[in-house]
Amino acid sequence: MTAKLMLLVEEAEKVIAGFPVSISAEPVPLAESLGRCLAEDVFSPGDVPEFDKSAMDGYAYLSGDASTEFRIVETIAAGTPPRVVVSTGQCAKIMTGAMMPSGADRVVKRECTVEENGFMRIVAAETNVNVRRRGEDLKAGKLVLDRGTRLRPAQVALLASLGVAVVPTARRPRVGIITTGSELVEPGKPLAPGQIYDSNSYSLSAQIREAGAVPVRLGRVADHEKATAKAIASAIDECDVLILSGGVSAGDFDYVPSALKQAGFTLYFEKIAVQPGMPTVFAGKAEKCAFGLPGNPVSTFVIFEVFIKPLLLRKMGHACFPQQQPAALASAFSRSNCERTAFVPVILRDGRAELVSYHGSAHLHALGRANALLRVPAGQKAIAVGCTVDVRLI
Ligand code: AMP
Ligand code: MG
């Protein structure tokens, strides 16, 4: 058996980043656009505000009109255009968001006035003009959202405000999940001796969904080479990216790399200098690609976050991927072996990264308590308390 070449984390990232992707558009109703990425730039179809409007409930009148009282010529509700021109000594009672009447150019808010017998008097000084001018937020034709933007609630609101009913989003990649392992049982069923629950297909589904892609759970395959190759071959038609969990290590029943080859895939790498997740496999066949992840639950989780999520976002045209952020280490960190880049569960609170009790790649409970991963560069054995470290939120 030949030794497998081990790539540095940065090298593996580069190989995956070099995998060609094609982005296709899929228009979706606005209500379904949350979490999706824009396939096209969006321009404002009109001015915002659409017309001069009052920013307050109050009275619209002419600036410079020094009258002691103003006759109220009409009441303007939001949504109803004004009918009367306002002249000196006059005002229109106006609601927030209602269209300014001709003649008037400022609004005194209701709290600064007294209204009596059809007249309004200003009783407190008001310095604000309280008018939102047509186009002061946005001019028609202006670029408002870039292609690749991931739509969050604020962007959904913006699109709605521009009258966009159908959003040009990127098609979401379908990501197949196959779990390998004869010991695995679906949650909800009783465990026989030696069996454990399958958590990876659930963590991967959740991570894929959170990344904005579509998880396709393709079930479990037993630890047999032929069965694994067959499962890969039939899965690949149903998805753009395939993730296999388990079966990539050095055990007697670890068949994923050879099964990928049997199914016609080229293996780009089979080992990354990362902890956890070292025996990660990345393979491609035409425009499809596949990852084989070590089955320990923290490994699967970390490898998805670090290597697979950026690929899925790129497949949706989303280039801006939040990488690390700095934090102060709350307690000293040390490790006995520092050959690999490590990702360690931490709690990020008030800019400080707190280490949690962590026993390694099977310790899902530690991950469950954490909200971030601390990145420890290869070669670094210890980090003193208070040092600035890199963390990424999970
Ligand atoms: P493997 O990578 O197949 O050698 O598995 C490594 C460890 O991860 C073993 O203890 C497996 O039982 C466990 N494991 C594998 N697949 C899963 C899974 N889907 N959910 C939870 N644990 C798993
Ligand atoms: Mg296994």
Side-chain angles (χ1 to χ4, degrees), residues 184-258:
L184 300 176
V185 173
E186 269 298 294
K189 300 213 170 113
L191 290 176
Q195 294 184 323
I196 59 161
Y197 289 119
D198 163 25
S199 62
N200 291 347
S201 71
Y202 289 89
S203 62
L204 287 168
S205 275
Q207 288 174 292
I208 291 163
R209 202 182 296 281
E210 203 173 61
V214 182
V216 184
R217 297 182 70 232
L218 297 165
R220 181 171 67 82
V221 60
D223 293 314
H224 294 292
E225 187 170 18
K226 280 221 165 65
T228 309
K230 208 170 144 208
I232 293 168
S234 61
I236 204 64
D237 289 336
E238 293 191 46
C239 55
D240 305 290
V241 176
L242 180 61
I243 302 178
L244 292 113
S245 124
V248 289
S249 310
D252 286 355
F253 305 100
D254 289 337
Y255 293 121
V256 166
S258 55

Side-chain angles (χ1 to χ4, degrees), residues 58-72:
Y59 301 86
Y61 68 109
L62 226 86
S63 40
D65 185 346
S67 306
T68 48
E69 56 177 21
F70 299 78
R71 191 165 68 78
I72 302 167

Side-chain angles (χ1 to χ4, degrees), residues 5-12 271-279 307 339-343 376 378:
L5 180 71
M6 179 144 79
L7 266 56
L8 296 174
V9 165
E10 297 74 14
E11 291 170 332
K271 235 177 175 186
I272 310 175
V274 65
Q275 187 181 27
M278 185 168 69
F307 298 100
E339 279 164 17
R340 296 180 263 161
T341 299
F343 290 91
V376 185

Side-chain angles (χ1 to χ4, degrees), residues 32 44-45 94 147 179 226 259 271:
E32 289 161 31
S44 178
I94 192 164
R147 183 160 50 104
T179 49
K226 280 221 165 65
K271 235 177 175 186

